[in-house]
Amino acid sequence: MGRFSEPQDPLFRALNSSISFDFRLAPYDIEQSLAHARMLAHSNIIHANDLAAIEAGLAQVRDEVDSDAFELHEDDEDVHMAIERRLTEIAGDAGARLHTARSRNDQVATDVAMLVRAHSLGAVELLTGLMRILVEQAERHLDWPMPGYTHMQRAQPVYLSHHLLAYFWKFRRDLQRFNFCLTATDDLPLGAGALAGVNFDTDRMFVAQELGFGGIAENSIDAVSNRDFVLDYLSAAATCATHMSQLGGEIVVWSSDEFGFCEVADRFASGSSLMPQKKNPDAAELLRAKAPRVAGRLATVHGVLHGLPLTYNKDLQEDKEQLFDAIDTVELCLAVTSEMLQTITFDRERMAVAAADEFPAATDIADLLVKRGTPFRKAHGVVGGLVRAAVERGKALSELTEDELAELAPELDSEYYELLREGAWLESKVSEGATSVPRVREQLAQARHLVEAVEPARP
Ligand code: ARG
């Protein structure tokens, strides 16, 4: 109990204890403790035989953790105290020397940075897999027309490949954001002590190299108060979850009888307890619904850090459950998205029928006028008149007679009918990044190159 005259109140203990959730930091805590002990011996702060006892003891602790045999004590407030307590039971005084020149403040910042780095690499790997699947599906559906939408109204037809690849680029930016988290976790906090540094001539770079950090945090006050890397991970995770939510939302809509564009595999759907005919795309619905939860984790940690004085405050303990939940959510969602996309089937006919609607060609007709010298804004008005006339007369655009055309838009001739032949307004989209097959092939090649070139930023 040291300076305290009475034991902790059970209510305070319940509020204060983090062991129920931070025990998942144990593998990182053990690894950094090993590196710290080796540095202490290397810097002649502890003896070689103490190091040997610590190494053997921590190996045993690791085995106990790995085999779920680690027994928690009532007094184990957090993972750091639990591991040190167990090590000391095993290794005696040598174990009690481990915490020399270290504080839980620099220790916890280091554990969390290590965890963020590991899971950023994990997210990069999961995203690479997902991007590969998108490339394969885009290749498979290269020239399948479908309606493209704005305001959820049919706007202009596109190829399914083009639409799927739109998600490729969103996930590619997510990958870059998770890669940035590797930079954000590259400076080792350990060695900062409680906040001011320690009373020993330690070798922080030695520890950094042992643990795979690129360098050391330059300022001990910053080192123990910095949780930017938690925000960076949560921000990347929230944006990534938002992208999966958009994809999930589209799959939900496309799976409806009204659209009938796609069908998820049975193993990603569920039935109704009441209606035997139902097949519900629950996986896609849950992808749609998970995003605000992850964004909420980000907002919560922003709230915890807001106005927080330097340096360590117990408030910082609140970052963990938010971070862990975001990690678990985003990793599960990425795995589900990959599997679901790999096994989804699209209905070529349904999409083609929906894309064959002629009204989306209105822009193309306007552009035909523009190519003949009419200013675009005027052409927009002329074609708007054509569309209104067609709607009023219950006709498709191509069903307007030559006489009607001469009356409504004398600038147009037989090329108008040619343009309305199905498909013409997909292949006319020739600009860079557009939907014509040659342009989609270009971005496919680029996308394929990127997934083949992706290598984790660190071993
Ligand atoms: N469990 C604490 C946390 O997660 C560890 C650091 C405690 N440091 C302290 N000075 N009480 O933030």
Side-chain angles (χ1 to χ4, degrees):
M1 283 199 303
R3 93 178 276 307
F4 297 95
S5 62
E6 57 177 359
Q8 289 185 346
D9 188 287
L11 286 173
F12 170 59
R13 196 187 282 253
L15 178 69
N16 190 44
S17 165
S18 56
I19 191 75
S20 62
F21 51 85
D22 71 10
F23 195 70
R24 79 185 262 174
L25 292 173
Y28 306 103
D29 206 67
I30 294 168
E31 213 189 314
Q32 72 140 299
S33 291
L34 277 170
H36 178 69
R38 286 178 188 140
M39 183 279 292
L40 291 177
H42 168 84
S43 306
N44 298 314
I45 298 167
I46 61 171
H47 291 297
N49 47 354
D50 283 332
L51 172 62
I54 289 171
E55 285 180 324
L58 284 174
Q60 183 180 331
V61 174
R62 184 174 15 204
D63 286 346
E64 290 176 6
V65 170
D66 289 349
S67 60
D68 280 335
F70 191 100
E71 278 180 32
L72 291 175
H73 279 198
E74 228 201 324
D75 291 341
D76 291 341
E77 181 182 306
D78 60 22
V79 61
H80 321 293
M81 292 175 97
I83 286 173
E84 194 186 328
R85 187 264 309 153
R86 181 69 189 125
L87 172 68
T88 307
E89 284 169 6
I90 299 166
D93 274 356
R97 292 203 167 92
L98 173 65
H99 210 52
T100 311
R102 187 174 74 167
S103 156
R104 274 190 296 158
N105 298 353
D106 55 349
Q107 192 177 354
V108 70
T110 303
D111 284 357
V112 175
M114 290 168 76
L115 170 108
V116 166
R117 186 175 43 178
H119 286 282
S120 299
L121 284 170
V124 165
E125 207 176 301
L126 284 163
L127 277 163
T128 306
L130 173 55
M131 287 157 63
R132 285 211 174 94
I133 289 163
L134 282 165
V135 166
E136 285 161 19
Q137 287 289 30
E139 270 163 356
R140 217 167 287 151
H141 304 96
L142 183 69
D143 60 353
W144 290 33
M146 62 173 283
Y149 297 85
T150 65
H151 311 267
M152 202 62 205
Q153 308 291 314
R154 283 180 196 166
Q156 294 179 324
V158 294
Y159 290 116
L160 177 55
S161 53
H162 193 194
H163 193 99
L164 291 172
L165 285 173
Y167 284 102
F168 176 94
W169 299 107
K170 292 179 196 305
F171 291 126
R172 150 93 173 149
R173 291 191 296 275
D174 291 334
L175 185 149
Q176 292 171 317
R177 277 181 275 270
F178 282 113
N179 258 331
F180 174 73
C181 297
L182 303 178
T183 308
T185 51
D186 207 32
D187 297 334
L188 175 75
L190 203 69
L195 81 158
V198 297
N199 297 329
F200 297 88
D201 188 16
T202 52
D203 185 345
R204 295 182 64 203
M205 205 52 210
F206 179 100
V207 181
Q209 275 161 5
E210 286 268 315
L211 295 178
F213 285 79
I216 59 167
E218 294 288 346
N219 181 314
S220 62
I221 292 174
D222 177 42
V224 293
S225 56
N226 177 24
R227 293 295 181 278
D228 291 2
F229 45 83
V230 175
L231 293 176
D232 290 331
Y233 180 92
L234 289 173
S235 174
T239 306
C240 181
T242 297
H243 292 149
M244 290 189 277
S245 171
Q246 293 175 335
L247 177 60
E250 292 208 310
I251 290 174
V252 172
V253 173
W254 291 3
S255 302
S256 67
D257 285 338
E258 284 68 17
F259 274 76
F261 286 0
C262 70
E263 189 174 342
V264 294
D266 280 0
R267 63 178 185 277
F268 282 99
S270 74
S272 155
S273 56
L274 179 78
M275 300 163 281
Q277 84 284 9
K278 291 286 297 289
K279 175 175 169 181
N280 301 324
D282 300 48
E285 294 172 85
L286 287 165
L287 290 177
R288 181 171 65 182
K290 291 289 185 189
R293 168 178 177 151
V294 181
R297 303 298 178 184
L298 171 64
T300 300
V301 177
H302 270 295
V304 168
L305 296 174
H306 168 87
L308 203 62
L310 306 184
T311 55
Y312 182 83
N313 299 273
K314 199 56 176 269
D315 309 50
L316 291 177
Q317 182 164 286
E318 284 294 306
D319 63 352
K320 280 165 216 65
E321 287 162 292
Q322 308 303 319
L323 176 63
F324 298 161
D325 184 71
I327 288 171
D328 295 341
T329 303
V330 101
E331 289 181 357
L332 178 62
C333 287
L334 280 168
V336 167
T337 303
S338 285
E339 273 300 303
M340 192 177 65
L341 270 188
Q342 191 152 38
T343 52
I344 199 168
T345 50
F346 294 97
D347 189 327
R348 183 169 200 156
E349 188 54 32
R350 288 291 298 248
M351 289 187 152
V353 167
D357 181 350
E358 277 181 359
F359 288 113
T363 315
D364 300 69
I365 300 166
D367 284 346
L368 185 64
L369 288 171
V370 167
K371 284 174 186 164
R372 300 202 172 150
T374 311
F376 177 77
R377 201 39 74 197
K378 275 193 185 150
H380 187 282
V382 170
V383 179
L386 273 181
V387 170
R388 177 156 31 85
V391 171
E392 279 168 8
R393 295 166 201 187
K395 290 180 164 188
L397 285 171
S398 60
E399 287 166 359
L400 291 173
T401 63
E402 287 186 29
D403 288 347
E404 285 173 308
L405 198 61
E407 166 211 329
L408 295 160
E411 305 88 334
L412 288 167
D413 53 24
S414 61
E415 227 183 303
Y416 168 83
Y417 298 102
E418 231 164 88
L419 193 145
L420 286 172
R421 268 187 306 109
E422 195 188 339
W425 54 89
L426 278 146
E427 284 310 305
S428 65
K429 298 292 181 296
V430 293
S431 58
E432 290 155 302
T435 215
S436 65
V437 166
R439 288 303 194 184
V440 174
R441 273 193 208 286
E442 275 175 11
Q443 63 162 308
L444 247 178
Q446 188 61 22
R448 200 181 310 109
H449 169 75
L450 283 171
V451 282
E452 277 160 15
V454 166
E455 273 176 51
R458 276 167 174 284

